[in-house]
Amino acid sequence: MRLVLILASWLALMAAGPSTFSGDEAYVRAVTYMQQEINRLEADRKIERATEAGETAKLQERLAAAERALKELRDAPGDAAKAAALQDFAAGDGAAGLDVLEKAAGAKASAAAADWRRIGDLAFGLDTARALRAYEKAFALVPEDFATAIYLARLRKEAGNLAGARQAALAAQSAARGDREISVAADELGDVAVQAGDVNEAKARFVASLAIHERLARDNPGSSKAQRDLSVSLEKLGDVAVKAGDVNEAKARFVASLAIAERLARDNPGSAEAQRDLAVSYERLGEVAIQAGDLNSAKAWFEKELVISKQRMDEDAASAEAKRFHSVVLIKLGDVAVLAGDVNEAKARFGASLAILERLARDNPGSAQAQRDVSVGLDRLGDLLVLAGDVNEAKARFEPPRLYRRTKLSENCPLWNIPKRRPRSRIHRSSASVRYG
């Protein structure tokens, strides 16, 4: 809903007024433009990076940085390049604005690092490759700056340069001052280690961060932020334990995280963030229960998550993300039913999920992701129908090429070869029910 309102306000702004704006008007228009672009990126990241805790908070942090950068452009009326760039952003041409700023930054000898960071902040929602180039230049000038090193680590990781990301995160660790920066650097090093497959280093980094969050939570018992940071820290360690195959430790970490999430949800009943965190805790415990072979518990946890996803969908009927989230939870319950041998329940869950995905695809015919989701949903339900021996319904629902091209059932179907670990489909990886912190 927020994205719809932002887009509507942006279109209204673009439809009115001259091509040159006053400083304050240009700033308002430029901020609206950046909100639209970064919220679009946020929606994409929720699909592509749902398994990484903290993604939405990081995107919103970048939006705040972009707003600060635009304010600096507005408050420098004597700088022709900054004034011209602000006009370009106000007109919705971020690329042209970046061109002006890059040219000006390259010609300056003083304050170049700040200029390049500003370019990086503005480019993040528009062109991450340009953002990376800008932060590389800033880092070369001021490698001792904590924020520069952290953002460079994240951009390098985004580009797949894990060795470079680790180098920048280590630089941030060296530059860190105070508990907050030390914990952020430790978490960043842990995230890089997770992506690199180094479970031992990831655990060591997250344990170090947890110690800080535990102390801050003890010292600030009334701080929701301190308590939530502790919950997220416990969740990160639970995720690492899952990767290491230690189901018992994973469950213990997730249970501890859940206790905090439940308390925060009770204390903040109107908080969407608190409800989302609670849903994530239910999801994690459901997945661990599947790994432990406890299908009854898994079903119970996912049903708790389903209540929250249904509430989110009902409260924000226009949100495609909320509908997609609900469809993903239905698939999880369908997977549990398949593992339990309950074909009828699995068929009902997969069918309900597919109905949502098909509506989303009809409403967004230009969305490649929406079309892929329907394809995956059809494959999943088709596998189940073939497995159940219901070939006639399979033929009626799916075109012959889809049915007969299989030489065996899709590997996504858990009954084909029951795994020790929970099967994950492309739709599962795009769940929006991830803890952000």
Side-chain angles (χ1 to χ4, degrees), residues 326-384:
H326 188 63
S327 76
V328 169
V329 183
L330 287 167
I331 289 177
K332 293 172 191 169
L333 282 164
D335 279 347
V336 173
V338 172
L339 288 168
D342 191 337
V343 175
N344 289 332
E345 180 177 353
K347 180 179 175 182
R349 299 293 192 182
F350 291 155
S353 174
L354 180 60
I356 294 173
L357 296 174
E358 287 177 331
R359 285 199 302 272
L360 289 174
R362 286 195 300 269
D363 293 342
N364 300 277
S367 169
Q369 180 65 52
Q371 308 306 316
R372 284 195 300 269
D373 284 350
V374 171
S375 177
V376 173
L378 288 168
D379 279 339
R380 210 171 190 83
L381 186 54
D383 287 340
L384 184 66

Coordinates of all heavy atoms in Angstrom, one line a residue, residues 326-384:
H326 N 1.3 -15.2 2.0 CA 0.3 -16.2 2.4 C 0.3 -17.4 1.6 O 0.2 -18.5 2.1 CB -1.1 -15.5 2.3 CG -2.2 -16.4 2.9 ND1 -2.3 -16.7 4.2 CD2 -3.3 -17.0 2.3 CE1 -3.3 -17.5 4.5 NE2 -4.0 -17.6 3.3
S327 N 0.6 -17.2 0.3 CA 0.7 -18.4 -0.6 C 1.8 -19.3 -0.3 O 1.8 -20.5 -0.4 CB 0.8 -17.9 -2.1 OG 2.0 -17.5 -2.4
V328 N 2.9 -18.7 0.2 CA 4.1 -19.4 0.5 C 3.9 -20.3 1.8 O 4.3 -21.4 1.8 CB 5.3 -18.5 0.8 CG1 6.5 -19.2 1.4 CG2 5.8 -17.8 -0.6
V329 N 3.2 -19.7 2.7 CA 2.9 -20.5 4.0 C 2.0 -21.6 3.6 O 2.1 -22.7 4.2 CB 2.2 -19.6 5.0 CG1 2.0 -20.3 6.3 CG2 3.1 -18.3 5.3
L330 N 1.0 -21.4 2.7 CA 0.2 -22.6 2.3 C 1.0 -23.7 1.7 O 0.7 -24.9 1.9 CB -0.9 -22.1 1.3 CG -2.0 -21.2 1.9 CD1 -2.8 -20.5 0.7 CD2 -3.0 -22.1 2.7
I331 N 2.0 -23.3 0.9 CA 2.9 -24.3 0.3 C 3.6 -25.1 1.4 O 3.8 -26.3 1.3 CB 3.9 -23.7 -0.7 CG1 3.1 -23.2 -1.9 CG2 5.0 -24.7 -1.1 CD1 4.0 -22.5 -2.9
K332 N 4.1 -24.4 2.4 CA 4.8 -25.1 3.5 C 3.9 -26.1 4.2 O 4.3 -27.3 4.4 CB 5.3 -24.1 4.5 CG 6.4 -23.1 4.0 CD 6.6 -22.0 5.0 CE 7.5 -21.0 4.4 NZ 7.6 -19.8 5.3
L333 N 2.7 -25.7 4.4 CA 1.7 -26.7 5.0 C 1.4 -27.8 4.0 O 1.2 -29.0 4.5 CB 0.4 -25.9 5.4 CG 0.5 -25.1 6.7 CD1 -0.6 -24.1 6.7 CD2 0.5 -26.0 7.9
G334 N 1.4 -27.5 2.7 CA 1.2 -28.6 1.7 C 2.4 -29.6 1.8 O 2.2 -30.8 1.7
D335 N 3.6 -29.1 1.9 CA 4.8 -29.9 2.0 C 4.7 -30.8 3.2 O 5.1 -32.0 3.1 CB 6.1 -29.1 2.1 CG 6.5 -28.6 0.7 OD1 6.0 -29.1 -0.3 OD2 7.4 -27.7 0.7
V336 N 4.3 -30.3 4.3 CA 4.2 -31.1 5.5 C 3.1 -32.2 5.3 O 3.3 -33.4 5.7 CB 3.8 -30.2 6.8 CG1 3.5 -31.1 8.0 CG2 4.9 -29.3 7.1
A337 N 2.0 -31.9 4.7 CA 1.0 -32.9 4.4 C 1.5 -34.0 3.5 O 1.2 -35.2 3.7 CB -0.2 -32.2 3.8
V338 N 2.3 -33.6 2.5 CA 2.9 -34.6 1.6 C 3.8 -35.5 2.4 O 3.8 -36.8 2.2 CB 3.7 -33.9 0.5 CG1 4.5 -34.9 -0.3 CG2 2.8 -33.2 -0.5
L339 N 4.7 -35.0 3.2 CA 5.6 -35.8 4.0 C 4.8 -36.7 5.0 O 5.3 -37.8 5.3 CB 6.5 -34.9 4.8 CG 7.6 -34.1 4.0 CD1 8.3 -33.1 4.9 CD2 8.6 -35.1 3.5
A340 N 3.6 -36.2 5.4 CA 2.8 -37.1 6.3 C 1.9 -38.0 5.6 O 1.2 -38.9 6.2 CB 1.9 -36.1 7.2
G341 N 2.0 -38.0 4.2 CA 1.2 -38.9 3.4 C -0.3 -38.5 3.2 O -1.1 -39.3 2.8
D342 N -0.6 -37.3 3.6 CA -2.0 -36.8 3.5 C -2.1 -36.1 2.1 O -2.0 -34.8 2.1 CB -2.3 -35.9 4.6 CG -3.8 -35.6 4.7 OD1 -4.5 -35.7 3.7 OD2 -4.3 -35.2 5.8
V343 N -2.4 -36.8 1.1 CA -2.5 -36.3 -0.3 C -3.6 -35.3 -0.4 O -3.5 -34.2 -1.1 CB -2.6 -37.4 -1.3 CG1 -2.8 -36.8 -2.7 CG2 -1.4 -38.3 -1.3
N344 N -4.8 -35.6 0.2 CA -5.9 -34.7 0.1 C -5.6 -33.3 0.7 O -5.9 -32.3 0.1 CB -7.1 -35.3 0.8 CG -7.7 -36.5 0.0 OD1 -7.5 -36.6 -1.2 ND2 -8.3 -37.4 0.7
E345 N -5.0 -33.3 1.9 CA -4.7 -32.0 2.5 C -3.6 -31.2 1.6 O -3.7 -30.0 1.4 CB -4.2 -32.1 3.9 CG -3.9 -30.7 4.5 CD -3.4 -30.8 6.0 OE1 -3.5 -31.9 6.6 OE2 -3.0 -29.7 6.5
A346 N -2.6 -32.0 1.2 CA -1.6 -31.4 0.3 C -2.2 -30.8 -0.9 O -1.9 -29.6 -1.3 CB -0.6 -32.4 0.0
K347 N -3.1 -31.5 -1.5 CA -3.8 -31.0 -2.7 C -4.6 -29.7 -2.4 O -4.5 -28.7 -3.2 CB -4.7 -32.0 -3.3 CG -5.4 -31.6 -4.6 CD -6.3 -32.8 -5.0 CE -7.2 -32.4 -6.2 NZ -8.1 -33.5 -6.7
A348 N -5.2 -29.7 -1.3 CA -6.0 -28.5 -0.9 C -5.1 -27.3 -0.7 O -5.4 -26.2 -1.1 CB -6.9 -28.8 0.3
R349 N -4.0 -27.5 0.0 CA -3.0 -26.4 0.3 C -2.4 -25.9 -0.9 O -2.3 -24.7 -1.2 CB -2.0 -26.9 1.3 CG -2.5 -27.4 2.7 CD -3.1 -26.3 3.5 NE -3.3 -26.7 4.9 CZ -3.8 -26.0 5.8 NH1 -4.3 -24.7 5.5 NH2 -3.9 -26.4 7.1
F350 N -1.9 -26.8 -1.8 CA -1.2 -26.4 -3.0 C -2.2 -25.7 -3.9 O -1.9 -24.7 -4.6 CB -0.6 -27.6 -3.7 CG 0.6 -28.2 -3.0 CD1 0.9 -29.5 -3.3 CD2 1.4 -27.4 -2.2 CE1 2.0 -30.1 -2.6 CE2 2.5 -28.0 -1.5 CZ 2.8 -29.3 -1.8
G351 N -3.5 -26.2 -4.0 CA -4.5 -25.6 -4.8 C -4.8 -24.2 -4.4 O -5.0 -23.3 -5.2
A352 N -4.9 -24.0 -3.0 CA -5.2 -22.6 -2.5 C -4.1 -21.7 -2.8 O -4.3 -20.5 -3.2 CB -5.5 -22.7 -1.0
S353 N -2.8 -22.2 -2.7 CA -1.7 -21.3 -3.0 C -1.7 -21.0 -4.4 O -1.4 -19.8 -4.8 CB -0.4 -22.1 -2.6 OG 0.7 -21.3 -3.0
L354 N -1.9 -21.9 -5.3 CA -1.9 -21.7 -6.7 C -2.9 -20.7 -7.2 O -2.7 -19.8 -8.0 CB -2.1 -23.0 -7.5 CG -2.1 -22.9 -9.0 CD1 -0.8 -22.4 -9.5 CD2 -2.3 -24.3 -9.6
A355 N -4.1 -20.7 -6.5 CA -5.2 -19.8 -6.9 C -4.7 -18.4 -6.6 O -5.0 -17.4 -7.4 CB -6.4 -20.1 -6.1
I356 N -4.0 -18.2 -5.5 CA -3.5 -16.8 -5.2 C -2.4 -16.4 -6.2 O -2.4 -15.3 -6.7 CB -2.9 -16.8 -3.8 CG1 -4.0 -17.0 -2.7 CG2 -2.2 -15.5 -3.5 CD1 -3.4 -17.2 -1.3
L357 N -1.5 -17.3 -6.5 CA -0.5 -17.0 -7.5 C -1.0 -16.7 -8.8 O -0.5 -15.8 -9.5 CB 0.5 -18.2 -7.5 CG 1.3 -18.4 -6.2 CD1 2.1 -19.7 -6.4 CD2 2.2 -17.3 -5.8
E358 N -2.0 -17.4 -9.2 CA -2.6 -17.2 -10.6 C -3.3 -15.8 -10.6 O -3.2 -15.1 -11.6 CB -3.6 -18.3 -10.9 CG -3.0 -19.6 -11.3 CD -4.0 -20.7 -11.5 OE1 -5.1 -20.7 -10.9 OE2 -3.7 -21.6 -12.3
R359 N -4.0 -15.4 -9.5 CA -4.6 -14.1 -9.4 C -3.5 -13.0 -9.5 O -3.7 -12.0 -10.2 CB -5.4 -13.9 -8.1 CG -6.7 -14.6 -8.1 CD -7.6 -14.1 -7.1 NE -7.1 -14.2 -5.7 CZ -7.2 -15.2 -4.9 NH1 -7.8 -16.3 -5.4 NH2 -6.6 -15.2 -3.7
L360 N -2.4 -13.2 -8.8 CA -1.3 -12.2 -8.9 C -0.7 -12.1 -10.3 O -0.4 -11.0 -10.7 CB -0.2 -12.6 -7.9 CG -0.5 -12.5 -6.4 CD1 0.6 -13.0 -5.5 CD2 -0.8 -11.0 -6.0
A361 N -0.6 -13.2 -10.9 CA -0.1 -13.2 -12.3 C -1.0 -12.5 -13.3 O -0.6 -11.8 -14.2 CB 0.2 -14.7 -12.8
R362 N -2.3 -12.7 -13.1 CA -3.3 -12.0 -13.9 C -3.3 -10.5 -13.6 O -3.4 -9.7 -14.6 CB -4.7 -12.5 -13.6 CG -5.0 -13.9 -14.2 CD -6.5 -14.2 -14.3 NE -7.1 -14.1 -12.9 CZ -7.2 -15.2 -12.1 NH1 -6.7 -16.4 -12.6 NH2 -7.7 -15.1 -11.0
D363 N -3.1 -10.1 -12.4 CA -3.0 -8.7 -12.0 C -1.7 -8.0 -12.4 O -1.7 -6.8 -12.5 CB -3.2 -8.5 -10.5 CG -4.6 -8.9 -10.0 OD1 -5.5 -9.0 -10.9 OD2 -4.8 -9.2 -8.8
N364 N -0.7 -8.8 -12.6 CA 0.6 -8.3 -13.0 C 1.2 -9.1 -14.2 O 2.2 -9.8 -14.1 CB 1.6 -8.4 -11.8 CG 1.1 -7.7 -10.6 OD1 1.3 -6.5 -10.5 ND2 0.5 -8.4 -9.7
P365 N 0.5 -8.9 -15.4 CA 0.9 -9.7 -16.6 C 2.4 -9.4 -17.0 O 3.0 -10.2 -17.7 CB -0.1 -9.3 -17.6 CG -0.6 -7.9 -17.2 CD -0.6 -8.0 -15.7
G366 N 2.9 -8.3 -16.6 CA 4.3 -7.9 -17.0 C 5.3 -8.4 -16.0 O 6.5 -8.2 -16.3
S367 N 4.9 -9.1 -14.9 CA 5.9 -9.5 -13.9 C 6.4 -10.9 -14.2 O 5.6 -11.9 -14.2 CB 5.2 -9.5 -12.5 OG 6.0 -10.2 -11.6
A368 N 7.7 -11.0 -14.6 CA 8.3 -12.3 -14.8 C 8.2 -13.2 -13.6 O 8.0 -14.4 -13.7 CB 9.7 -12.1 -15.3
Q369 N 8.4 -12.6 -12.4 CA 8.4 -13.3 -11.2 C 7.1 -14.0 -10.9 O 6.9 -15.1 -10.5 CB 8.8 -12.4 -10.0 CG 8.8 -13.1 -8.6 CD 9.9 -14.2 -8.6 OE1 11.1 -13.9 -8.8 NE2 9.5 -15.4 -8.2
A370 N 6.0 -13.2 -11.2 CA 4.6 -13.7 -11.0 C 4.4 -14.9 -11.9 O 3.7 -15.9 -11.5 CB 3.6 -12.6 -11.2
Q371 N 4.8 -14.8 -13.1 CA 4.6 -15.9 -14.1 C 5.4 -17.1 -13.6 O 4.9 -18.3 -13.7 CB 5.0 -15.5 -15.5 CG 4.4 -14.2 -16.0 CD 2.9 -14.2 -15.9 OE1 2.2 -15.2 -16.2 NE2 2.3 -13.1 -15.4
R372 N 6.7 -16.9 -13.2 CA 7.5 -18.0 -12.7 C 6.8 -18.7 -11.5 O 6.8 -19.9 -11.4 CB 8.9 -17.6 -12.3 CG 9.8 -17.3 -13.5 CD 11.2 -17.2 -13.1 NE 11.4 -16.1 -12.1 CZ 11.8 -14.9 -12.5 NH1 11.9 -14.5 -13.7 NH2 12.0 -13.9 -11.5
D373 N 6.3 -17.9 -10.6 CA 5.6 -18.5 -9.4 C 4.5 -19.4 -9.8 O 4.3 -20.5 -9.2 CB 5.0 -17.3 -8.5 CG 6.1 -16.6 -7.7 OD1 7.3 -17.1 -7.7 OD2 5.8 -15.6 -7.1
V374 N 3.7 -19.0 -10.8 CA 2.6 -19.8 -11.3 C 3.1 -21.1 -11.9 O 2.6 -22.2 -11.6 CB 1.7 -19.1 -12.3 CG1 0.7 -20.1 -13.0 CG2 1.0 -18.0 -11.7
S375 N 4.2 -21.0 -12.6 CA 4.8 -22.2 -13.2 C 5.3 -23.2 -12.1 O 5.0 -24.4 -12.2 CB 6.0 -21.8 -14.1 OG 6.7 -23.0 -14.6
V376 N 5.9 -22.7 -11.1 CA 6.4 -23.5 -10.0 C 5.2 -24.1 -9.3 O 5.2 -25.3 -8.9 CB 7.3 -22.7 -9.0 CG1 7.6 -23.6 -7.8 CG2 8.5 -22.3 -9.7
G377 N 4.1 -23.3 -9.1 CA 2.9 -23.8 -8.4 C 2.3 -24.9 -9.2 O 1.8 -25.9 -8.6
L378 N 2.2 -24.8 -10.5 CA 1.6 -25.8 -11.4 C 2.5 -27.1 -11.3 O 1.9 -28.2 -11.2 CB 1.6 -25.3 -12.8 CG 0.5 -24.2 -13.1 CD1 0.7 -23.6 -14.5 CD2 -0.9 -24.9 -13.0
D379 N 3.8 -26.9 -11.3 CA 4.7 -28.1 -11.3 C 4.4 -28.9 -9.9 O 4.4 -30.1 -9.9 CB 6.1 -27.7 -11.3 CG 6.6 -27.5 -12.8 OD1 5.9 -28.0 -13.7 OD2 7.6 -26.7 -13.0
R380 N 4.3 -28.1 -8.9 CA 4.2 -28.7 -7.6 C 2.8 -29.5 -7.5 O 2.8 -30.6 -7.0 CB 4.2 -27.6 -6.5 CG 4.8 -28.1 -5.2 CD 5.0 -26.9 -4.2 NE 5.7 -27.3 -3.1 CZ 7.0 -27.4 -3.0 NH1 7.7 -27.1 -4.1 NH2 7.6 -27.7 -1.9
L381 N 1.7 -28.9 -7.9 CA 0.5 -29.5 -7.9 C 0.4 -30.7 -8.9 O -0.2 -31.8 -8.6 CB -0.7 -28.5 -8.1 CG -2.1 -29.1 -8.0 CD1 -2.3 -29.7 -6.6 CD2 -3.1 -27.9 -8.2
G382 N 1.0 -30.5 -10.0 CA 1.1 -31.5 -11.0 C 1.8 -32.8 -10.5 O 1.4 -33.9 -10.8
D383 N 3.0 -32.6 -9.8 CA 3.7 -33.7 -9.3 C 2.8 -34.5 -8.3 O 2.8 -35.7 -8.3 CB 4.9 -33.2 -8.5 CG 6.0 -32.7 -9.4 OD1 6.0 -33.1 -10.6 OD2 6.9 -31.9 -8.9
L384 N 2.1 -33.8 -7.5 CA 1.2 -34.4 -6.5 C 0.1 -35.2 -7.2 O -0.2 -36.4 -6.8 CB 0.6 -33.4 -5.6 CG -0.3 -34.0 -4.4 CD1 0.6 -34.7 -3.5 CD2 -1.0 -32.8 -3.7

